[in-house]
Amino acid sequence: MTAQEISGLSQRGYLTNWSNWRAAIVLGLISSSYSTVISQLAAAQVGRDAAVDWMSVAAIPGRDAMLQTEPTWISIAVGIGFHQWADFSWALVFFGLLGRWTAGFSPRALAVIVIPWAALTSAFEWLLLVPVFPFAQPIFTLQQLTGSDFWCTRRRP
């Protein structure tokens, strides 16, 4: 195949645009780190223990071995890593795999799409991936913070 043929295939969208994947990687690292920091800081605001939450998340890939009476550094690290992997993966799907369509979105369009995308991916994770496939943990308690937690919890002095 000549360079001209490859260029033609690329222009028609048959070849992957690697700049979409690079952007997906960078945005995945940024968004997963931001999400982790927000989860850590928000836990106390809604009466949660962040270390216990990370241990609970670690129990998804690590099973019962991660559950202890007191969260260990290993379980916290596994929980944070698994959380970041999930967020990073969704960024790769949105900006990498679907980059052919999402690369042209304006900031305003992205702002409109972000809430439905978050709801869709969260529902997919907690209704299918965690309890059914591939982790098959139907007894895993869903202790994920939601918007209603923030509205219903008041901070008391």
Side-chain angles (χ1 to χ4, degrees):
M1 197 173 265
T2 67
Q4 193 173 29
E5 291 171 326
I6 291 173
S7 177
L9 289 174
S10 179
Q11 288 174 352
R12 287 187 225 119
Y14 293 113
L15 297 180
T16 303
N17 184 348
W18 292 108
S19 64
N20 290 345
W21 287 99
R22 282 191 298 271
I25 290 168
V26 170
L27 291 169
L29 290 172
I30 292 169
S31 66
S32 65
S33 299
Y34 178 77
S35 173
T36 300
V37 169
I38 294 300
S39 296
Q40 180 71 29
L41 297 176
Q45 299 298 317
V46 293
R48 308 281 308 208
D49 183 351
V52 172
D53 285 347
W54 292 127
M55 180 181 67
S56 297
V57 171
I60 299 170
R63 304 272 185 201
D64 294 342
M66 292 293 138
L67 299 175
Q68 305 292 323
T69 54
E70 290 290 324
T72 63
W73 285 107
I74 297 294
S75 65
I76 293 169
V78 169
I80 290 172
F82 187 72
H83 170 81
Q84 289 207 273
W85 169 78
D87 287 350
F88 183 79
S89 297
W90 286 121
L92 289 180
V93 169
F94 189 80
F95 293 107
L97 190 63
L98 302 176
R100 184 175 179 183
W101 299 280
T102 60
F105 288 171
S106 69
R108 179 173 287 175
L110 288 173
V112 169
I113 292 170
V114 71
I115 299 299
W117 178 257
L120 175 75
T121 58
S122 185
F124 186 73
E125 285 176 13
W126 293 105
L127 297 176
L128 182 66
L129 291 180
V130 171
V132 181
F133 177 83
F135 301 105
Q137 293 192 13
I139 61 170
F140 183 79
T141 55
L142 302 179
Q143 299 178 6
Q144 187 175 18
L145 292 175
T146 63
S148 62
D149 293 329
F150 292 107
W151 291 107
C152 296
T153 305
R154 290 184 301 163
R155 190 173 174 177
R156 294 188 176 97

